[in-house]
Amino acid sequence: MAEPVHRTGHPAAPDPVRTLRTLFAEVLGRAGVDAGDSFTGLGGDSIQAIQVVSRARAAGLVVRTRDVLRAESVSALAATARTRAPGSEDTGPITPPRRLGPLAPTPIMGWLAGLGGPVDTYNQSLVLRTPPGFGTADAERTVQALLDTHEMLRLRLPDGIGATGAEPVVPPAGTVAAADLLEHVDARRTDEADLPALTRERIRTARRLLSPRDGHMLRAVLLDRGPGHQGRLALVIHHLVVDGVSWRILQDDLRTCWTALTEGREPALEPAATPFAHWADLLRAEATSGRRTAEAERWAAALREAPQPLAGVRPPGGLDPESPENTLTLTLGPDLAGPLLTTVPGLVNGTVNDVLLTALALAVLARRAAEGADGADEEGAVLIDVEGHGREDVADGTDLSRTVGWFTTVFPVRLALGRPDLDEARLGGPAVGAALRLVKEELRAVPDKGIGFGLLRHLNSRTGTGLAARGIPQIGFNYLGRFPMGGDAPWDAAPGHDFALDDADEGLPMAHAVEVNAAAHEGPDGLTLSATWTWAGNALPGPWVRDLAREWFTMLRAVVTHAARPDAGRLTPSDVSLARVSQADLDTFESQLGALL
């Protein structure tokens, strides 16, 4: 079994290989990791890589996210790591990064304001098990540590979201009191089976108390079950200041705070190396840089209209809000989700997004073909707005592994699959492999994982108007990564609650005609893939979306079937350093090599 990394008293000189093996095992939920294993080979994704970087930093090692993802083994990654003395700061710029004061609006803030609806209580939430006896005083000290450490949790918007008046401002630590944001609920007489319903009720109340104008971006609810039973701590945080990666940071911080409390110490957390305010300043400057403005034509070309439904774009606005009636959740079990999310991406040296988007594009083509609507589109184009975690290496010296905030990027990708044999694809034949290689290459060609689109669309006055006029893809897609579920230890996610899914205000229009939010859940029985489909009732009929959702799972099963074929793994042009090599050249070479062997 992997040994836990102790985060309160680190050795002066940690063994990099041993520490990284332990962290890989922790983050990936494995019993053990060998020195020769690679992070991506074990199924790790970019969000989990950020977790490794954050936990390595706490353990006295400094590694970069890009190195975690690219290193061929733990040993190779350890060779790039450097040690960091406990409590020391990394060498950085002469001028300390800015933490407080006016906050430059980021692209995702502009995207949210552009939806044109109420967003004052637009939030994400997480419910955690608390240790027996964790009471009000413990909760106040813990939540206060979070507020004082992570500046964005104190963000204040004097004129509201999207207003043209005063900019958002980050006030100093201590200006927001945890006691004002925390509700204590005596749940000592509440049965375990009744806790989820009571928790959801209190979350609904807490979300209504969020107030960006007053700097109340967080509400906490403690369901106290006394000294003999685990309780619950529900955190409800405005989406403007939190995202999927942030929740992982906060969950680790809660464990650190509890360790301090049990040792009789005041909780103290390490501040982020790169504060969000500093990052926002960097983005504002980056938006008008030459390397970003050079991308404008690329993004405009991606947004050109295609002739078929769910292939092109629509004008902004005019969509219905989300509603429970227009929501569908499907789950893929461990027998398929396990290999789909771990083994299959490695076959083409790709990512989970490559796999999921390939199947989604094939599913859209299949639905169009079923309606006899594919004959006019030789390109076979499917246009999708893809969400990314946004913590990209676009400026030297930044480390966002401990920065809490909303970093999400949204960018269009145009997946042109031509005219694949869809019957063959459903059976997991070569058509699946060909589509997977095309999608992988298209996603690899996106500069800096799409961060430039939002910069040019929302922060650059010269390019923003033209890109806005191009419209918005009809499909939105977001893979949230892997979340551990079903654990029974303190600070594990509590049963009966979805993990940090968006909770929008009533009346907030949807951004896309249909949106897919997928997440992998790690439970006692293995990995499952849960996908929630939401659609605008005035844009698409429910039966059509349900058919598309089922077709997507059919194509995902086909990808797993294809992965078992002996010819499934293939190189793509971006895997080799040769200039001007095509996919056809590589396929020919591999076929000839196979014949010789």
Side-chain angles (χ1 to χ4, degrees):
M1 294 291 291
E3 299 178 12
V5 175
H6 185 56
R7 295 188 176 85
T8 57
H10 309 303
D15 175 3
V17 172
R18 182 179 179 184
T19 299
L20 291 171
R21 286 176 60 194
T22 300
L23 292 178
F24 277 27
E26 283 184 6
V27 170
L28 297 176
R30 289 180 169 265
V33 171
D34 293 331
D37 290 333
S38 72
F39 188 72
T40 54
L42 295 172
D45 57 35
S46 58
I47 293 177
Q48 292 172 306
I50 294 171
Q51 282 184 277
V52 169
V53 171
S54 178
R55 295 186 185 189
R57 182 183 178 88
L61 282 181
V62 178
V63 293
R64 298 185 303 175
T65 303
R66 69 175 72 173
D67 294 332
V68 175
L69 292 169
R70 295 175 182 175
E72 295 182 354
S73 65
V74 173
S75 298
L77 177 62
T80 71
R82 58 187 178 85
T83 58
R84 173 178 170 273
S88 69
E89 290 294 331
D90 295 331
T91 302
I94 296 175
T95 303
R98 189 171 70 85
R99 295 184 180 275
L100 307 176
L103 180 76
T106 60
I108 196 63
M109 292 178 180
W111 174 88
L112 180 61
L115 294 182
V119 291
D120 277 357
T121 62
Y122 184 36
N123 73 91
Q124 295 188 327
S125 62
L126 173 63
V127 182
L128 299 163
R129 297 175 180 267
T130 58
F134 184 83
T136 302
D138 297 324
E140 282 189 17
R141 294 164 73 186
T142 298
V143 173
Q144 192 66 56
L146 298 181
L147 289 167
D148 290 346
T149 302
H150 301 295
E151 297 90 1
M152 287 298 283
L153 298 182
R154 308 189 300 268
L155 183 69
R156 184 169 177 265
L157 287 84
D159 294 329
I161 299 169
T164 56
E167 288 183 314
V169 63
V170 181
T175 56
V176 180
D180 297 336
L181 308 179
L182 174 67
E183 179 191 12
H184 177 271
V185 177
D186 186 345
R188 285 175 294 180
R189 298 182 180 180
T190 304
D191 292 335
E192 185 84 19
D194 296 328
L195 268 182
L198 176 61
T199 305
R200 285 192 290 270
E201 174 192 331
R202 303 319 302 165
I203 285 176
R204 285 193 293 269
T205 299
R207 75 183 294 273
R208 291 194 293 268
L209 296 174
L210 293 173
S211 177
R213 287 177 178 82
D214 299 318
H216 295 172
M217 306 299 281
L218 174 152
R219 303 294 303 191
V221 180
L222 174 66
L223 288 92
D224 186 354
R225 302 189 69 218
H229 301 278
Q230 287 184 340
R232 301 289 185 265
L233 180 66
L235 295 177
V236 182
I237 304 179
H238 200 287
H239 199 353
L240 274 176
V241 299
V242 76
D243 58 13
V245 176
S246 298
W247 283 116
R248 292 162 168 88
I249 296 169
L250 295 174
Q251 196 171 5
D252 279 349
D253 282 355
L254 289 168
R255 294 187 177 102
T256 299
C257 287
W258 177 241
T259 298
L261 290 171
T262 58
E263 295 175 353
R265 297 182 287 109
E266 193 65 27
L269 299 168
E270 182 181 9
T274 302
F276 194 93
H278 179 69
W279 175 251
D281 290 341
L282 293 175
L283 291 184
R284 177 179 281 183
E286 180 72 10
T288 56
S289 68
R291 67 173 174 173
R292 292 304 161 206
T293 54
E295 295 177 14
E297 289 187 8
R298 182 195 193 285
W299 296 118
L303 285 169
R304 68 186 185 276
E305 287 203 52
Q308 301 301 334
L310 283 179
V313 298
R314 62 163 185 81
L319 290 178
D320 283 349
E322 291 185 14
S323 70
E325 295 77 19
N326 294 333
T327 301
L328 171 69
T329 299
L330 299 177
T331 300
L332 205 60
D335 57 329
L336 293 168
L340 181 76
L341 300 171
T342 57
T343 306
V344 175
L347 291 176
V348 291
N349 192 27
T351 67
V352 172
N353 255 18
D354 297 341
V355 175
L356 300 181
L357 287 169
T358 296
L360 182 56
L362 286 170
V364 172
L365 294 182
R367 290 306 308 141
R368 283 161 39 184
E371 297 174 347
D374 65 334
D377 185 9
E378 292 295 329
E379 186 185 23
V382 179
L383 186 62
I384 303 172
D385 245 356
V386 176
E387 289 193 26
H389 61 68
R391 297 166 191 250
E392 311 302 345
D393 293 325
V394 297
D396 293 336
T398 57
D399 176 1
L400 300 169
S401 63
R402 274 197 50 75
T403 308
V404 168
W406 193 13
F407 287 85
T408 299
T409 52
V410 183
F411 57 96
V413 294
R414 190 180 197 85
L415 306 178
L417 303 188
R419 303 288 296 277
D421 186 329
L422 295 170
D423 290 331
E424 179 185 278
R426 288 191 185 94
L427 297 174
V432 171
L436 183 55
R437 292 189 289 275
L438 283 169
V439 170
K440 172 195 164 184
E441 285 300 291
E442 180 59 37
L443 295 179
R444 281 264 184 104
V446 174
D448 293 321
K449 298 182 181 177
I451 196 171
F453 177 77
L455 296 174
L456 296 172
R457 170 66 179 81
H458 297 287
L459 301 186
N460 187 318
S461 59
R462 294 180 58 189
T463 57
T465 302
L467 289 175
R470 293 272 176 165
I472 300 170
Q474 296 174 355
I475 307 175
F477 177 82
N478 183 19
Y479 173 60
L480 294 160
R482 288 164 63 174
F483 297 97
M485 303 292 288
D488 57 7
W491 310 117
D492 284 345
H497 303 278
D498 289 329
F499 193 107
L501 294 178
D502 295 1
D503 181 17
D505 296 60
E506 277 190 35
L508 179 65
M510 290 191 60
H512 308 90
V514 61
E515 296 177 350
V516 189
N517 285 283
H521 295 149
E522 299 177 74
D525 298 325
L527 275 174
T528 60
L529 179 70
S530 175
T532 297
W533 293 73
T534 312
W535 61 95
N538 63 342
L540 294 168
W544 195 96
V545 178
R546 291 186 178 92
D547 286 344
L548 177 61
R550 287 188 284 267
E551 187 70 59
W552 185 45
F553 268 25
T554 295
M555 291 300 182
L556 288 176
R557 294 185 185 95
V559 172
V560 175
T561 299
H562 177 77
R565 293 171 56 100
D567 60 346
R570 293 282 186 91
L571 293 173
T572 63
S574 62
D575 292 323
V576 298
S577 57
L578 298 174
R580 294 186 298 276
V581 65
S582 68
Q583 185 67 59
D585 294 333
L586 284 173
D587 291 346
T588 300
F589 173 75
E590 288 188 330
S591 297
Q592 293 173 344
L593 182 62
L596 291 174
L597 297 176

